[in-house]
Amino acid sequence: MITVVIPLYNKASTISRAIDSVIAQSVKDWELLIVDDGSKDNGAELVDAYNDERIRLFKQANGGVAAARNKGVELATNDFLAFLDADDYWAPTHLENLQQLIVQFPDVALYGTAYFGVRGDGVAKRSKFRNPDAKPDQLLIVDYFADVVEFGHFVFTSSVAINRAWLESVGGFPLGIKSGEDTLTFARLACAGDVAFSKLPTAYYMLPPVAIGDRKNFLRRPQCPDYVALELLKLLETTTKFNASLRRYLAHWHRIRAMMFLELNERLYSFPEIWKAIRFDKVTFKDILCCFLLMLPVAIRRYTLAKIRKVRGRV
């Protein structure tokens, strides 16, 4: 049996879709814990309307998504935990996919599946990974950090499962982080133990809008000081087997922050992030592109970024 944890905060428009995707699972032996993190809409009422003894709702004061997930872990009655964000959803075989991974690799730190990124127009694009259609479908990841740098985040929060003991060993999801709490948690788990991956995409991630006018409500200013980078540096110092790939992973993180500051038109913060990325890795095309975009007028820069996101699909 597996426990599904959904953090809920002002997602009344999508929570029913998420719950329905859990109910539709081919695996029926599950419990669903929904942690309402101080929502101001009627999402909790929609949850209460479900007449299913496997579904439980817990309400708490707003503490952030990490606090909500940690409360779900605390309340869970099972060792294995799958996570689903309230605006994402699963294919009916997602828990079956995860359970097959657990059976094949019973003692790894992190399980994850490939996923589809869904645009606002409904078009879904599969997450990238090497030889996606080649066998085997399920495998152990040799170097999680190298693969993230090469393919992007090939797993995300709504496509993973974690054994409670492994999650507790790394301190759970870190509190007080506005963005990147899942990035840091997965990095800690990847340093602590093995990562098992299924190339079968069975989760759906709702992508933020492409156009800058629609993205304003989705953009979150990168946190300063950069707690995630400080903690990744600690992993770099203590995990020698991933030294080279962790350095590139740190550079990858700084490039993400540089682009976020770029979108927010905070050029004085974007330049230092590019410099940090180069210190950990080397000069890449993305660094040159970012510097070029920083020189453009704001309107042209935003238009160009929207075009780039549309072409790349952002998955």
Side-chain angles (χ1 to χ4, degrees):
M1 188 172 178
I2 195 165
T3 294
V4 181
V5 176
I6 298 180
L8 174 62
Y9 181 71
N10 293 345
K11 296 293 183 180
S13 62
T14 58
I15 184 60
S16 294
R17 180 181 63 191
I19 295 172
D20 290 343
S21 76
V22 178
I23 293 174
Q25 291 299 298
S26 57
V27 172
K28 301 300 181 183
D29 190 16
W30 47 260
E31 72 168 345
L32 172 58
L33 295 176
I34 300 167
V35 181
D36 181 12
D37 193 46
S39 295
K40 297 177 176 63
D41 60 14
N42 67 330
E45 296 174 14
L46 296 174
V47 176
D48 279 332
Y50 283 86
N51 185 23
D52 191 321
E53 62 182 12
R54 297 172 297 178
I55 300 174
R56 289 192 285 151
L57 174 67
F58 179 85
K59 296 182 180 181
Q60 66 180 24
N62 181 252
V65 65
R69 291 191 187 120
N70 288 341
K71 175 55 70 172
V73 173
E74 177 187 327
L75 296 173
T77 60
N78 301 294
D79 289 332
F80 286 98
L81 308 145
F83 298 91
L84 177 61
D85 285 347
D87 48 359
D88 299 327
Y89 59 99
W90 290 339
T93 55
H94 182 66
L95 287 182
E96 180 181 340
N97 195 5
L98 286 173
Q99 285 198 342
Q100 289 174 355
L101 271 179
I102 292 169
V103 170
Q104 185 170 356
F105 306 106
D107 190 28
V108 304
L110 178 67
Y111 303 90
T113 75
Y115 62 93
F116 290 104
V118 184
R119 299 189 326 209
D121 58 6
V123 174
K125 186 175 181 179
R126 184 175 178 173
S127 57
K128 296 178 181 178
F129 199 73
R130 70 172 61 86
N131 303 320
D133 299 315
K135 299 296 181 181
D137 292 326
Q138 299 174 331
L139 65 156
L140 286 178
I141 300 297
V142 176
D143 189 333
Y144 170 84
F145 303 102
D147 285 341
V148 170
V149 171
E150 182 174 356
F151 302 107
H153 290 280
F154 55 92
V155 299
F156 79 115
T157 310
S158 292
S159 77
V160 305
I162 309 172
N163 185 302
R164 183 207 302 267
W166 280 105
L167 186 57
E168 291 175 347
S169 74
V170 299
F173 290 93
L175 302 178
I177 300 180
K178 296 180 180 179
S179 179
E181 77 289 332
D182 48 357
T183 296
L184 179 54
T185 301
F186 299 163
R188 287 171 170 171
L189 287 166
C191 286
D194 292 326
V195 177
F197 176 64
S198 171
K199 290 188 281 187
L200 301 175
T202 50
Y204 291 82
Y205 167 47
M206 302 307 295
L207 293 166
V210 170
I212 189 63
D214 298 325
R215 284 175 65 84
K216 290 179 180 178
N217 293 331
F218 291 86
L219 291 176
R220 289 183 290 180
R221 188 178 188 276
Q223 193 167 352
C224 297
D226 185 0
Y227 177 80
V228 173
L230 292 174
E231 292 300 310
L232 289 176
L233 276 172
K234 293 179 183 178
L235 293 177
L236 180 62
E237 294 168 357
T238 57
T239 314
T240 55
K241 68 175 180 178
F242 295 132
N243 185 273
S245 58
L246 255 172
R247 290 184 64 86
R248 295 181 64 208
Y249 188 80
L250 260 162
H252 178 75
W253 171 253
H254 286 298
R255 289 183 178 114
I256 291 173
R257 286 173 58 88
M259 293 301 289
M260 291 174 70
F261 281 125
L262 181 69
E263 288 202 60
L264 293 167
N265 196 34
E266 297 191 30
R267 293 185 292 177
L268 291 179
Y269 288 94
S270 191
F271 273 121
E273 296 296 334
I274 298 171
W275 172 243
K276 290 174 185 176
I278 294 171
R279 284 178 56 207
F280 283 113
D281 189 11
K282 57 186 178 182
V283 177
T284 66
F285 172 75
K286 190 169 185 179
D287 301 323
I288 298 171
L289 175 63
C290 191
C291 289
F292 170 74
L293 290 171
L294 283 167
M295 301 301 152
L296 297 177
V298 176
I300 297 176
R301 183 193 315 141
R302 288 174 173 172
Y303 174 81
T304 305
L305 283 169
K307 284 293 186 182
I308 292 172
R309 283 192 295 269
K310 188 172 183 178
V311 170
R312 292 186 60 205
R314 302 179 329 282
V315 178

